[in-house]
Amino acid sequence: MKKGCMIYGLLAVLIVPIPGNAAEQQSFPYKLPMEKPDIPLSEAMERVYDDYASPTYWWNELFSKFRYTPIEGLDYSNHDGTVTRRDPSKVIKHAGRYYVWYTCRKTEVPPQGAQGGSETLPSFDWDMSEIWYATSEDGFTWKEQGVAVRRPPKPAPGWRSVSTPDILVWKGTYYLYYQAFQEMPGKRGDDCPVAVSWADSPDGPWTPLNRTVIPNGPAGAWDQYSIHDPYPLVYRGRIYLYYKSDFNGRPELIRAQGLATADHPLGPFEKCPLNPVLNSGHETAYFPFKGGIAALAGRHGNEMESIQWSPDGINFREEANSTLLPVAAGPYVPDAFTDSGDGRGITWGLCHFTQVGGQGRMHSMLGRFDCDLSLDYHDPQMK
Ligand code: AAL
């Protein structure tokens, strides 16, 4: 038998006969029944009734496209890589002004990479950096106010670099959590714990706790080496601080996010026994939504570019998928700390606007994203 005939013969065998007599089988009705019909259904149509029609399935509310706008005031002109602004915090509003904190590195030379970095030369964009902050009246034009948290002297956590901040407001006090590098990023990996500083005003002055507040995991733990992207919310009367770790490397197939909770911003924090709680994302943003927590899981992992939701802040599932999710999103979350039990979502924030920097290395500047992930989209409070 010629090869071609053999293949067609094989295909004929592989075509799966449709069960029963297709002519007799009741076809799906023209008008989509609102109740699950009592006919054999494919898995795809089972999901329509079991998942998507479920009263706690938020596809319609948690699907959004994303729009991007350059911001004024945070200098885009530098292309030689000597200045980086990246990894913005959530945006908060205080006395009618928006505030944001971010990694800022201003060095004589651009980042030299893990091989080229040294005691005096930065390895990556977030090496030898500080936490700076800026304010805005409208979220489009920003004014850089200066340094919020400097690198402390050795051996305090963060002496090499402090980066990737996020903000918590708790009982009238402001807390900045950030990655606190105690060796050059890239020396072994991107290894660091998280430290914290606090202030009575978003304008500072900031007092460092001078010890780690979210420690690395024990030897062999998924979060043994890096505690990245600290992201605090107030939920169910406690502080829910989400973070990323990287399974000791860059396993692009999975990017895991963990949760640590505490009764006080300075700890002690207990790590969730079910960690990791997300299997995808990178710098993942979260916001209270209805009675649970939603997450923007972009960039990496099997569930990348998804908007997820959990009824309890722990058990997340994909609710919607979108494209071009904001990278390193720092959303304006009006109810991030109100613990209302009925989160209203988000409509904008800041994120990475990556530009090619010195020596061809990509380095980041900040930009604005807008989206429709709010139940009160037109409410001025959401703007
Ligand atoms: C970011 C974040 C953390 C990493 C580096 C700077 O996207 O995940 O902050 O350490 O990259």
Side-chain angles (χ1 to χ4, degrees):
M1 178 188 290
K2 284 190 183 145
K3 192 174 177 184
C5 296
M6 187 174 71
I7 288 172
Y8 285 127
L10 187 61
L11 281 177
V13 169
L14 286 179
I15 289 171
V16 178
I18 296 173
N21 176 326
E24 288 163 11
Q25 180 177 342
Q26 183 185 352
S27 65
F28 212 93
Y30 171 72
K31 188 169 170 49
L32 184 70
M34 295 321 289
E35 298 297 323
K36 191 174 183 178
D38 182 19
I39 58 175
L41 295 177
S42 65
E43 283 198 21
M45 291 310 291
E46 293 280 359
R47 285 197 296 274
V48 168
Y49 293 95
D50 296 348
D51 295 346
Y52 309 150
S54 145
T56 60
Y57 195 84
W58 312 119
W59 191 91
N60 289 311
E61 295 86 351
L62 287 179
F63 172 78
S64 177
K65 290 287 189 189
F66 296 86
R67 304 169 295 281
Y68 296 93
T69 313
I71 57 176
E72 301 293 329
L74 293 184
D75 183 19
Y76 280 168
S77 62
N78 167 275
H79 291 290
D80 66 2
T82 54
V83 173
T84 285
R85 294 181 182 86
R86 60 176 290 146
D87 293 309
S89 69
K90 290 190 294 293
V91 173
I92 65 169
K93 197 168 189 178
H94 170 77
R97 284 204 301 180
Y98 296 110
Y99 284 73
V100 70
W101 291 262
Y102 46 89
T103 305
C104 184
R105 181 187 51 73
K106 298 182 178 181
T107 48
E108 296 301 312
V109 294
Q112 302 294 306
Q115 303 311 317
S118 69
E119 287 297 312
T120 56
L121 294 176
S123 56
F124 298 145
D125 290 348
W126 55 96
D127 187 13
M128 303 172 87
S129 56
E130 299 170 314
I131 310 295
W132 285 50
Y133 80 111
T135 59
S136 174
E137 307 298 326
D138 63 4
F140 289 96
T141 299
W142 291 82
K143 178 173 171 28
E144 187 153 76
Q145 299 294 345
V147 182
V149 178
R150 296 188 183 284
R151 294 159 56 188
K154 267 189 178 180
W159 64 265
R160 171 75 192 199
S161 188
V162 287
S163 81
T164 323
D166 203 10
I167 185 78
L168 165 72
V169 184
W170 175 271
K171 297 182 180 173
T173 300
Y174 297 79
Y175 297 86
L176 272 177
Y177 296 86
Y178 43 86
Q179 297 178 194
F181 288 93
Q182 305 182 97
E183 63 179 34
M184 181 187 81
K187 181 177 178 185
R188 188 212 64 83
D190 200 10
D191 300 356
C192 59
V194 161
V196 63
S197 294
W198 72 89
D200 294 328
S201 156
D203 295 292
W206 296 88
T207 304
L209 182 60
N210 278 331
R211 64 171 167 80
T212 296
V213 71
I214 311 286
N216 296 90
W222 75 285
D223 59 353
Q224 170 180 350
Y225 289 102
S226 55
I227 308 288
H228 288 169
D229 304 288
Y231 192 106
L233 294 172
V234 176
Y235 183 59
R236 295 187 172 180
R238 307 189 71 219
I239 295 137
Y240 273 52
L241 189 144
Y242 293 92
Y243 65 92
K244 161 173 86 69
S245 192
D246 60 2
F247 281 98
N248 178 29
R250 297 186 59 80
E252 305 302 348
L253 276 183
I254 182 169
R255 262 292 183 272
Q257 315 292 324
L259 168 65
T261 57
D263 294 318
H264 188 277
L266 302 183
F269 279 87
E270 305 98 47
K271 291 184 179 178
C272 178
L274 292 182
N275 274 347
V277 293
L278 270 164
N279 61 38
S280 295
H282 191 107
E283 316 91 341
T284 302
Y286 302 79
F287 52 94
F289 188 79
K290 301 268 186 181
I293 301 287
L296 300 182
R299 281 185 74 192
H300 290 130
N302 307 72
E303 297 174 356
M304 71 171 79
E305 302 305 287
S306 67
I307 300 151
Q308 308 222 359
W309 183 77
S310 69
D312 56 7
I314 296 173
N315 292 292
F316 286 86
R317 66 175 190 233
E318 288 183 282
E319 295 292 325
N321 294 87
S322 188
T323 55
L324 285 180
L325 265 66
V327 176
Y332 172 51
V333 188
D335 52 13
F337 315 124
T338 59
D339 199 14
S340 69
D342 184 23
R344 309 309 291 168
I346 60 171
T347 57
W348 71 277
L350 298 189
C351 62
H352 280 183
F353 257 40
T354 296
Q355 299 179 354
V356 178
Q359 301 176 358
R361 269 186 57 73
M362 302 293 273
H363 76 284
S364 298
M365 308 306 265
L366 299 180
R368 172 177 166 133
F369 73 88
D370 283 84
C371 64
D372 312 324
L373 292 171
S374 167
L375 297 167
D376 313 314
Y377 183 76
H378 298 292
D379 179 342
Q381 285 300 318
M382 295 306 295
K383 299 301 175 196

mmCIF file of all heavy atoms in Angstrom, residues 5-40:
data_model
loop_
_atom_site.group_PDB
_atom_site.id
_atom_site.type_symbol
_atom_site.label_atom_id
_atom_site.label_comp_id
_atom_site.label_asym_id
_atom_site.label_seq_id
_atom_site.Cartn_x
_atom_site.Cartn_y
_atom_site.Cartn_z
ATOM 1 N N CYS A 5 -1.915 6.290 0.881
ATOM 2 C CA CYS A 5 -3.163 5.557 1.187
ATOM 3 C C CYS A 5 -3.123 5.087 2.633
ATOM 4 O O CYS A 5 -4.112 5.154 3.364
ATOM 5 C CB CYS A 5 -3.283 4.353 0.245
ATOM 6 S SG CYS A 5 -3.449 4.902 -1.460
ATOM 7 N N MET A 6 -1.918 4.663 3.072
ATOM 8 C CA MET A 6 -1.832 4.139 4.451
ATOM 9 C C MET A 6 -2.218 5.254 5.446
ATOM 10 O O MET A 6 -2.973 5.069 6.387
ATOM 11 C CB MET A 6 -0.395 3.689 4.731
ATOM 12 C CG MET A 6 -0.218 2.973 6.084
ATOM 13 S SD MET A 6 1.445 2.328 6.250
ATOM 14 C CE MET A 6 2.353 3.870 6.468
ATOM 15 N N ILE A 7 -1.709 6.500 5.151
ATOM 16 C CA ILE A 7 -2.015 7.600 6.098
ATOM 17 C C ILE A 7 -3.514 7.860 6.112
ATOM 18 O O ILE A 7 -4.149 7.953 7.156
ATOM 19 C CB ILE A 7 -1.237 8.872 5.686
ATOM 20 C CG1 ILE A 7 0.264 8.677 5.995
ATOM 21 C CG2 ILE A 7 -1.774 10.102 6.439
ATOM 22 C CD1 ILE A 7 1.163 9.768 5.461
ATOM 23 N N TYR A 8 -4.115 7.917 4.878
ATOM 24 C CA TYR A 8 -5.576 8.204 4.851
ATOM 25 C C TYR A 8 -6.307 7.100 5.584
ATOM 26 O O TYR A 8 -7.228 7.319 6.360
ATOM 27 C CB TYR A 8 -6.052 8.322 3.398
ATOM 28 C CG TYR A 8 -5.626 9.630 2.759
ATOM 29 C CD1 TYR A 8 -4.942 9.679 1.547
ATOM 30 C CD2 TYR A 8 -5.874 10.840 3.431
ATOM 31 C CE1 TYR A 8 -4.550 10.889 0.999
ATOM 32 C CE2 TYR A 8 -5.482 12.063 2.891
ATOM 33 C CZ TYR A 8 -4.807 12.071 1.670
ATOM 34 O OH TYR A 8 -4.408 13.269 1.145
ATOM 35 N N GLY A 9 -5.818 5.859 5.353
ATOM 36 C CA GLY A 9 -6.464 4.724 6.035
ATOM 37 C C GLY A 9 -6.396 4.927 7.553
ATOM 38 O O GLY A 9 -7.381 4.805 8.284
ATOM 39 N N LEU A 10 -5.224 5.369 8.016
ATOM 40 C CA LEU A 10 -5.035 5.549 9.478
ATOM 41 C C LEU A 10 -5.974 6.641 9.992
ATOM 42 O O LEU A 10 -6.643 6.519 11.005
ATOM 43 C CB LEU A 10 -3.568 5.950 9.736
ATOM 44 C CG LEU A 10 -3.124 6.022 11.222
ATOM 45 C CD1 LEU A 10 -3.274 4.678 11.893
ATOM 46 C CD2 LEU A 10 -1.670 6.516 11.301
ATOM 47 N N LEU A 11 -6.040 7.736 9.188
ATOM 48 C CA LEU A 11 -6.902 8.860 9.626
ATOM 49 C C LEU A 11 -8.341 8.387 9.750
ATOM 50 O O LEU A 11 -9.053 8.717 10.683
ATOM 51 C CB LEU A 11 -6.815 10.005 8.599
ATOM 52 C CG LEU A 11 -5.569 10.898 8.696
ATOM 53 C CD1 LEU A 11 -5.583 11.939 7.583
ATOM 54 C CD2 LEU A 11 -5.531 11.592 10.066
ATOM 55 N N ALA A 12 -8.754 7.553 8.771
ATOM 56 C CA ALA A 12 -10.158 7.077 8.783
ATOM 57 C C ALA A 12 -10.419 6.364 10.097
ATOM 58 O O ALA A 12 -11.431 6.546 10.755
ATOM 59 C CB ALA A 12 -10.373 6.134 7.611
ATOM 60 N N VAL A 13 -9.420 5.605 10.550
ATOM 61 C CA VAL A 13 -9.613 4.844 11.803
ATOM 62 C C VAL A 13 -9.653 5.805 12.980
ATOM 63 O O VAL A 13 -10.409 5.665 13.916
ATOM 64 C CB VAL A 13 -8.433 3.832 11.973
ATOM 65 C CG1 VAL A 13 -8.458 3.235 13.379
ATOM 66 C CG2 VAL A 13 -8.516 2.759 10.890
ATOM 67 N N LEU A 14 -8.833 6.899 12.858
ATOM 68 C CA LEU A 14 -8.722 7.815 14.010
ATOM 69 C C LEU A 14 -9.954 8.691 14.155
ATOM 70 O O LEU A 14 -10.220 9.254 15.195
ATOM 71 C CB LEU A 14 -7.481 8.699 13.850
ATOM 72 C CG LEU A 14 -6.142 7.978 14.099
ATOM 73 C CD1 LEU A 14 -4.977 8.950 13.878
ATOM 74 C CD2 LEU A 14 -6.099 7.425 15.527
ATOM 75 N N ILE A 15 -10.739 8.882 13.052
ATOM 76 C CA ILE A 15 -11.895 9.778 13.200
ATOM 77 C C ILE A 15 -12.865 9.130 14.169
ATOM 78 O O ILE A 15 -13.280 7.995 13.992
ATOM 79 C CB ILE A 15 -12.573 10.000 11.809
ATOM 80 C CG1 ILE A 15 -11.658 10.864 10.935
ATOM 81 C CG2 ILE A 15 -13.932 10.674 11.976
ATOM 82 C CD1 ILE A 15 -12.119 10.971 9.499
ATOM 83 N N VAL A 16 -13.160 9.835 15.246
ATOM 84 C CA VAL A 16 -13.956 9.225 16.303
ATOM 85 C C VAL A 16 -15.436 9.255 15.895
ATOM 86 O O VAL A 16 -15.973 10.327 15.604
ATOM 87 C CB VAL A 16 -13.773 10.028 17.626
ATOM 88 C CG1 VAL A 16 -14.644 9.438 18.720
ATOM 89 C CG2 VAL A 16 -12.296 10.020 18.029
ATOM 90 N N PRO A 17 -16.098 8.103 15.821
ATOM 91 C CA PRO A 17 -17.544 8.115 15.448
ATOM 92 C C PRO A 17 -18.347 8.862 16.518
ATOM 93 O O PRO A 17 -18.091 8.733 17.716
ATOM 94 C CB PRO A 17 -17.907 6.627 15.419
ATOM 95 C CG PRO A 17 -16.855 5.922 16.210
ATOM 96 C CD PRO A 17 -15.611 6.764 16.141
ATOM 97 N N ILE A 18 -19.270 9.777 16.084
ATOM 98 C CA ILE A 18 -20.112 10.506 17.052
ATOM 99 C C ILE A 18 -21.067 9.502 17.674
ATOM 100 O O ILE A 18 -21.701 8.724 16.963
ATOM 101 C CB ILE A 18 -20.904 11.614 16.306
ATOM 102 C CG1 ILE A 18 -19.899 12.649 15.736
ATOM 103 C CG2 ILE A 18 -21.898 12.278 17.243
ATOM 104 C CD1 ILE A 18 -20.551 13.689 14.855
ATOM 105 N N PRO A 19 -21.156 9.511 19.030
ATOM 106 C CA PRO A 19 -22.003 8.491 19.690
ATOM 107 C C PRO A 19 -23.467 8.622 19.215
ATOM 108 O O PRO A 19 -23.943 9.733 18.987
ATOM 109 C CB PRO A 19 -21.892 8.833 21.181
ATOM 110 C CG PRO A 19 -21.360 10.225 21.250
ATOM 111 C CD PRO A 19 -20.593 10.467 19.995
ATOM 112 N N GLY A 20 -24.110 7.503 19.093
ATOM 113 C CA GLY A 20 -25.541 7.501 18.754
ATOM 114 C C GLY A 20 -25.725 7.888 17.282
ATOM 115 O O GLY A 20 -24.786 8.155 16.552
ATOM 116 N N ASN A 21 -27.003 8.067 16.947
ATOM 117 C CA ASN A 21 -27.329 8.401 15.561
ATOM 118 C C ASN A 21 -27.500 9.928 15.508
ATOM 119 O O ASN A 21 -28.416 10.473 16.119
ATOM 120 C CB ASN A 21 -28.634 7.690 15.167
ATOM 121 C CG ASN A 21 -29.061 8.106 13.755
ATOM 122 O OD1 ASN A 21 -28.832 9.266 13.355
ATOM 123 N ND2 ASN A 21 -29.655 7.184 13.034
ATOM 124 N N ALA A 22 -26.559 10.595 14.781
ATOM 125 C CA ALA A 22 -26.547 12.071 14.793
ATOM 126 C C ALA A 22 -27.927 12.621 14.419
ATOM 127 O O ALA A 22 -28.413 13.585 15.007
ATOM 128 C CB ALA A 22 -25.487 12.561 13.814
ATOM 129 N N ALA A 23 -28.633 11.944 13.488
ATOM 130 C CA ALA A 23 -29.932 12.483 13.016
ATOM 131 C C ALA A 23 -30.913 12.525 14.186
ATOM 132 O O ALA A 23 -31.637 13.477 14.406
ATOM 133 C CB ALA A 23 -30.452 11.587 11.915
ATOM 134 N N GLU A 24 -30.900 11.469 15.058
ATOM 135 C CA GLU A 24 -31.901 11.421 16.136
ATOM 136 C C GLU A 24 -31.513 12.360 17.284
ATOM 137 O O GLU A 24 -32.347 12.922 17.954
ATOM 138 C CB GLU A 24 -32.002 9.996 16.689
ATOM 139 C CG GLU A 24 -32.709 9.009 15.725
ATOM 140 C CD GLU A 24 -32.392 7.586 16.133
ATOM 141 O OE1 GLU A 24 -31.820 7.411 17.251
ATOM 142 O OE2 GLU A 24 -32.692 6.691 15.364
ATOM 143 N N GLN A 25 -30.137 12.548 17.511
ATOM 144 C CA GLN A 25 -29.728 13.295 18.714
ATOM 145 C C GLN A 25 -30.289 14.719 18.646
ATOM 146 O O GLN A 25 -30.199 15.394 17.666
ATOM 147 C CB GLN A 25 -28.207 13.347 18.784
ATOM 148 C CG GLN A 25 -27.727 14.114 20.018
ATOM 149 C CD GLN A 25 -26.203 14.107 20.123
ATOM 150 O OE1 GLN A 25 -25.561 13.285 19.485
ATOM 151 N NE2 GLN A 25 -25.659 15.023 20.890
ATOM 152 N N GLN A 26 -30.890 15.146 19.777
ATOM 153 C CA GLN A 26 -31.452 16.499 19.835
ATOM 154 C C GLN A 26 -30.315 17.505 19.704
ATOM 155 O O GLN A 26 -29.344 17.448 20.435
ATOM 156 C CB GLN A 26 -32.140 16.662 21.196
ATOM 157 C CG GLN A 26 -32.826 18.005 21.379
ATOM 158 C CD GLN A 26 -33.378 18.112 22.797
ATOM 159 O OE1 GLN A 26 -33.349 17.121 23.546
ATOM 160 N NE2 GLN A 26 -33.849 19.270 23.163
ATOM 161 N N SER A 27 -30.434 18.445 18.757
ATOM 162 C CA SER A 27 -29.348 19.419 18.591
ATOM 163 C C SER A 27 -29.571 20.548 19.600
ATOM 164 O O SER A 27 -30.669 20.720 20.140
ATOM 165 C CB SER A 27 -29.385 19.990 17.167
ATOM 166 O OG SER A 27 -30.576 20.726 17.006
ATOM 167 N N PHE A 28 -28.527 21.300 19.856
ATOM 168 C CA PHE A 28 -28.635 22.392 20.836
ATOM 169 C C PHE A 28 -29.679 23.384 20.316
ATOM 170 O O PHE A 28 -29.669 23.737 19.140
ATOM 171 C CB PHE A 28 -27.277 23.082 20.978
ATOM 172 C CG PHE A 28 -27.054 23.619 22.361
ATOM 173 C CD1 PHE A 28 -26.404 22.870 23.316
ATOM 174 C CD2 PHE A 28 -27.557 24.866 22.711
ATOM 175 C CE1 PHE A 28 -26.222 23.346 24.598
ATOM 176 C CE2 PHE A 28 -27.378 25.356 23.993
ATOM 177 C CZ PHE A 28 -26.712 24.605 24.944
ATOM 178 N N PRO A 29 -30.613 23.828 21.164
ATOM 179 C CA PRO A 29 -31.684 24.699 20.657
ATOM 180 C C PRO A 29 -31.147 26.037 20.147
ATOM 181 O O PRO A 29 -30.100 26.508 20.584
ATOM 182 C CB PRO A 29 -32.581 24.913 21.871
ATOM 183 C CG PRO A 29 -31.805 24.459 23.046
ATOM 184 C CD PRO A 29 -30.753 23.517 22.586
ATOM 185 N N TYR A 30 -31.871 26.642 19.192
ATOM 186 C CA TYR A 30 -31.434 27.924 18.611
ATOM 187 C C TYR A 30 -31.315 28.983 19.699
ATOM 188 O O TYR A 30 -30.323 29.708 19.768
ATOM 189 C CB TYR A 30 -32.450 28.370 17.544
ATOM 190 C CG TYR A 30 -32.195 29.782 17.065
ATOM 191 C CD1 TYR A 30 -31.097 30.060 16.260
ATOM 192 C CD2 TYR A 30 -33.025 30.847 17.467
ATOM 193 C CE1 TYR A 30 -30.842 31.361 15.838
ATOM 194 C CE2 TYR A 30 -32.771 32.132 17.064
ATOM 195 C CZ TYR A 30 -31.691 32.396 16.251
ATOM 196 O OH TYR A 30 -31.432 33.679 15.855
ATOM 197 N N LYS A 31 -32.305 29.078 20.578
ATOM 198 C CA LYS A 31 -32.270 30.122 21.624
ATOM 199 C C LYS A 31 -31.576 29.516 22.842
ATOM 200 O O LYS A 31 -32.039 28.519 23.391
ATOM 201 C CB LYS A 31 -33.706 30.551 21.984
ATOM 202 C CG LYS A 31 -33.764 31.769 22.919
ATOM 203 C CD LYS A 31 -35.179 32.327 23.023
ATOM 204 C CE LYS A 31 -35.321 33.368 24.119
ATOM 205 N NZ LYS A 31 -34.237 34.407 24.053
ATOM 206 N N LEU A 32 -30.455 30.090 23.247
ATOM 207 C CA LEU A 32 -29.658 29.501 24.327
ATOM 208 C C LEU A 32 -30.504 29.366 25.598
ATOM 209 O O LEU A 32 -30.980 30.368 26.137
ATOM 210 C CB LEU A 32 -28.450 30.398 24.615
ATOM 211 C CG LEU A 32 -27.463 29.857 25.667
ATOM 212 C CD1 LEU A 32 -26.701 28.664 25.127
ATOM 213 C CD2 LEU A 32 -26.514 30.952 26.120
ATOM 214 N N PRO A 33 -30.739 28.130 26.058
ATOM 215 C CA PRO A 33 -31.543 27.976 27.282
ATOM 216 C C PRO A 33 -30.813 28.576 28.481
ATOM 217 O O PRO A 33 -29.590 28.423 28.597
ATOM 218 C CB PRO A 33 -31.690 26.466 27.428
ATOM 219 C CG PRO A 33 -30.676 25.847 26.528
ATOM 220 C CD PRO A 33 -30.263 26.863 25.527
ATOM 221 N N MET A 34 -31.521 29.250 29.348
ATOM 222 C CA MET A 34 -30.876 29.880 30.501
ATOM 223 C C MET A 34 -30.591 28.848 31.586
ATOM 224 O O MET A 34 -29.707 29.038 32.411
ATOM 225 C CB MET A 34 -31.758 31.006 31.067
ATOM 226 C CG MET A 34 -31.935 32.159 30.087
ATOM 227 S SD MET A 34 -30.409 32.538 29.153
ATOM 228 C CE MET A 34 -29.411 33.257 30.440
ATOM 229 N N GLU A 35 -31.344 27.750 31.562
ATOM 230 C CA GLU A 35 -31.040 26.652 32.491
ATOM 231 C C GLU A 35 -30.266 25.581 31.718
ATOM 232 O O GLU A 35 -30.468 25.421 30.509
ATOM 233 C CB GLU A 35 -32.340 26.037 33.042
ATOM 234 C CG GLU A 35 -33.193 27.040 33.846
ATOM 235 C CD GLU A 35 -32.456 27.538 35.080
ATOM 236 O OE1 GLU A 35 -31.726 26.723 35.707
ATOM 237 O OE2 GLU A 35 -32.539 28.751 35.367
ATOM 238 N N LYS A 36 -29.433 24.842 32.390
ATOM 239 C CA LYS A 36 -28.635 23.800 31.735
ATOM 240 C C LYS A 36 -29.582 22.766 31.133
ATOM 241 O O LYS A 36 -30.374 22.147 31.848
ATOM 242 C CB LYS A 36 -27.714 23.153 32.764
ATOM 243 C CG LYS A 36 -26.645 22.239 32.186
ATOM 244 C CD LYS A 36 -25.703 21.791 33.306
ATOM 245 C CE LYS A 36 -24.561 20.946 32.798
ATOM 246 N NZ LYS A 36 -23.637 20.580 33.905
ATOM 247 N N PRO A 37 -29.558 22.589 29.787
ATOM 248 C CA PRO A 37 -30.490 21.646 29.151
ATOM 249 C C PRO A 37 -30.103 20.205 29.464
ATOM 250 O O PRO A 37 -28.924 19.897 29.666
ATOM 251 C CB PRO A 37 -30.322 21.956 27.664
ATOM 252 C CG PRO A 37 -28.959 22.532 27.520
ATOM 253 C CD PRO A 37 -28.659 23.228 28.828
ATOM 254 N N ASP A 38 -31.112 19.320 29.472
ATOM 255 C CA ASP A 38 -30.857 17.910 29.800
ATOM 256 C C ASP A 38 -30.513 17.137 28.540
ATOM 257 O O ASP A 38 -31.271 16.272 28.093
ATOM 258 C CB ASP A 38 -32.104 17.313 30.484
ATOM 259 C CG ASP A 38 -31.853 15.855 30.889
ATOM 260 O OD1 ASP A 38 -30.633 15.484 30.958
ATOM 261 O OD2 ASP A 38 -32.834 15.090 31.061
ATOM 262 N N ILE A 39 -29.420 17.527 27.903
ATOM 263 C CA ILE A 39 -28.942 16.824 26.703
ATOM 264 C C ILE A 39 -27.429 16.632 26.866
ATOM 265 O O ILE A 39 -26.807 17.346 27.659
ATOM 266 C CB ILE A 39 -29.213 17.636 25.408
ATOM 267 C CG1 ILE A 39 -28.540 19.012 25.476
ATOM 268 C CG2 ILE A 39 -30.720 17.754 25.146
ATOM 269 C CD1 ILE A 39 -28.667 19.806 24.176
ATOM 270 N N PRO A 40 -26.819 15.716 26.161
ATOM 271 C CA PRO A 40 -25.358 15.556 26.277
ATOM 272 C C PRO A 40 -24.666 16.854 25.860
ATOM 273 O O PRO A 40 -25.011 17.446 24.840
ATOM 274 C CB PRO A 40 -25.048 14.437 25.277
ATOM 275 C CG PRO A 40 -26.347 13.722 25.039
ATOM 276 C CD PRO A 40 -27.415 14.760 25.209
#
